[in-house]
Amino acid sequence: MSPGNATVRIPAPVNAHSHAFHRILRGRTHEGEDGGAGTFWTWRDQMYAAAAQLSPAAYQQLATATFAEMAVAGWSAVGEFHYLHHDVDGTPYGTPGHGESHAMERALARAAKAVGIRLVLLDTCYLQGGLGADGSAMDLNATQRRFSDGDVAGWLARHASLGEALVREDDGEGLVSLGAAIHSVRAVDPGALAQIAAGLDPNLPLHVHLSEQPAENEACLAAYGLSPTGLLQRAGLLGSRLSAVHATHLDTEDIEALGAAGVGIVMCPSTEADLGDGIGPARELADAGAVIALGTDQHAVVDPYLEQRALEHAERLRSGVRGRFSPREIAAAARAGGLRSLGLAPNEDHLMVRTDSVRTIGSRTAQLPLSATAADVAQVHINGVLVATDGIHTTLGDPAGLFAAFLLEHGEFS
């Protein structure tokens, strides 16, 4: 069915936070080995197992399927928070016997180009295994070795080289660009934060996981005497180019600091619900001056309308008050907030959304964020190209078939 009079043109949403390889975990972490309910640790163990196994070829195949699922759902761009940098033993790609340089990052770029989705590769600094409850730094575990460049100088050098490689991969199409990320204050120490503030191109978007769990705040306070937000502020990293992902467990001083600096806040409501993270203070952050964006993170759900709806519904549940965000504010988080977070310029990417489905018939256009789902997306146009129609990618077909092919080829993930 091609769109006719019963469709409206909507500026296409932007997915500001993704871990493409987490898509493997959907529907697989809700039960423990004993048959009981799956916990956060069930999820974490399987996440690390997946991270330990992916090769560049497998990653390209998986990311192509994941980005295709995003595109047909209506997401026009994705910020990929990427830290699978090196071979499984920690040896850098490009070392003799370990394939081409930047192999994993090239895999993501090639996947995005095959799909036709805009990709901002948020190449991530990850230097230590975490913080213990007493604030002590933890060594990298066997899987985390492939995440780390050893020190900030190593990360900055690889990041600069990666920028040149991505320019070649993009080949003038304007779909692939480079950003940066700090995994978290658990994974990057204060001295390294200061080096990043001084050494990273100030024009690049910079993302960080922030205060996702109370334990992160407690360990940071034990180690440094500051909250994660306070630590970033001391390092000179708070500002409009920074996006804090999750920002779930904040005190009043944190909210005021993030708002005063105009920091972007990337809420991932479906993931935060799935992992039991909690509900962040989105309304208070917006009122303080922060700019809200949305992401799918681990892809428990890949639906821009469900993420928009979950932002408001979580606020209603948290506050007991209806109408915490207006429909226009919700739509702005999905579009303008995402563009700002990823450093993308305004563009003509758009959706044609059906207004005659059982979900949307009778809805006012401005209120579609609270009634539509991805099933109502009739067409997706990105970079001047019709990318998807009725949930089917124009060149790659049904994303479910792409996932099926991945699982058939890589039985270790099935």
Side-chain angles (χ1 to χ4, degrees):
M1 177 179 176
S2 61
N5 294 331
T7 60
V8 292
R9 176 172 167 147
I10 302 292
V14 173
N15 184 352
H17 188 69
S18 161
H19 300 290
F21 80 92
H22 286 193
R23 175 59 181 82
I24 297 170
L25 306 177
R26 184 190 296 171
R28 307 167 77 87
T29 63
H30 302 286
E31 186 175 74
E33 291 184 3
D34 61 358
T39 67
F40 174 80
W41 303 107
T42 309
W43 177 89
R44 187 176 183 268
D45 289 346
Q46 291 192 39
M47 183 272 286
Y48 274 120
Q53 295 178 67
L54 279 170
S55 67
Y59 203 16
Q60 182 172 336
Q61 189 177 11
L62 175 61
T64 300
T66 303
F67 293 160
E69 183 181 10
M70 289 181 200
V72 304
W75 297 107
S76 61
V78 56
E80 181 61 28
F81 199 109
H82 169 69
Y83 48 84
L84 299 183
H85 301 308
H86 305 302
D87 211 339
V88 293
D89 63 355
T91 303
Y93 289 107
T95 301
H98 292 270
E100 64 181 341
S101 62
H102 307 298
M104 295 296 265
E105 293 80 13
R106 290 176 189 268
L108 290 166
R110 291 164 185 170
K113 285 194 66 178
V115 170
I117 196 170
R118 297 185 192 275
L119 169 69
V120 179
L121 186 59
L122 300 166
D123 190 80
T124 302
C125 185
Y126 196 123
L127 301 178
Q128 64 188 31
L131 290 173
D134 62 353
S136 59
M138 300 169 65
D139 292 336
L140 296 164
N141 66 31
T143 300
Q144 290 169 330
R145 284 199 294 268
R146 76 181 311 191
F147 305 167
S148 178
D149 294 293
D151 55 27
V152 172
W155 176 71
L156 286 170
R158 188 184 53 73
H159 188 274
S161 174
L162 173 59
E164 299 169 2
L166 291 184
V167 168
R168 292 192 294 273
E169 289 292 340
D170 184 63
D171 196 26
E173 289 191 31
L175 286 176
V176 178
S177 58
L178 179 63
I182 296 161
H183 182 272
S184 59
V185 300
R186 295 177 291 108
V188 180
D189 64 67
L193 293 176
Q195 288 179 267
I196 291 170
L200 185 68
D201 181 347
N203 296 310
L204 291 178
L206 178 65
H207 287 219
V208 59
H209 292 130
L210 184 74
S211 293
E212 183 177 1
Q213 297 278 347
E216 175 186 341
N217 293 349
E218 294 160 6
C220 187
L221 184 63
Y224 310 122
L226 292 168
S227 70
T229 296
L231 198 65
L232 295 174
Q233 185 175 41
R234 189 176 73 181
L237 286 167
L238 296 192
S240 59
R241 68 93 167 248
L242 182 70
S243 288
V245 182
H246 304 304
T248 307
H249 301 280
L250 305 175
D251 62 24
T252 300
E253 289 184 3
D254 293 333
I255 293 169
E256 290 174 353
L258 293 165
V263 169
I265 304 293
V266 186
M267 296 288 185
C268 305
S270 63
T271 287
E272 288 146 11
D274 183 80
L275 295 182
D277 288 340
I279 301 171
R283 182 70 264 172
E284 290 89 339
L285 283 160
D287 289 344
V291 178
I292 306 299
L294 294 172
T296 62
D297 194 352
Q298 60 143 340
H299 320 302
V301 173
V302 176
D303 186 323
Y305 283 111
L306 293 185
E307 295 292 352
Q308 289 174 78
R309 191 130 71 248
L311 174 68
E312 169 62 14
H313 285 180
E315 278 290 312
R316 294 182 186 185
L317 290 169
R318 184 172 70 92
S319 68
V321 176
R322 195 169 189 264
R324 296 280 283 174
F325 286 95
S326 72
R328 286 176 175 80
E329 287 178 305
I330 298 168
R335 170 69 178 176
L339 289 172
R340 179 185 185 272
S341 175
L342 297 182
L344 293 173
N347 55 57
E348 294 300 314
D349 297 347
H350 67 276
L351 314 179
M352 300 303 297
V353 179
R354 287 202 174 81
T355 56
D356 62 352
S357 79
V358 70
R359 293 165 297 277
T360 61
I361 194 160
S363 294
R364 294 186 172 95
T365 298
Q367 297 186 37
L368 286 172
L370 293 161
S371 60
T373 73
D376 300 305
V377 175
Q379 288 188 347
V380 182
H381 297 257
I382 304 174
N383 204 31
V385 176
L386 174 62
V387 170
T389 301
D390 296 331
I392 302 299
H393 195 274
T394 52
T395 59
L396 299 174
D398 187 345
L402 301 177
F403 284 116
F406 170 81
L407 292 170
L408 182 64
E409 185 169 345
H410 303 283
E412 65 268 30
F413 297 110
S414 62

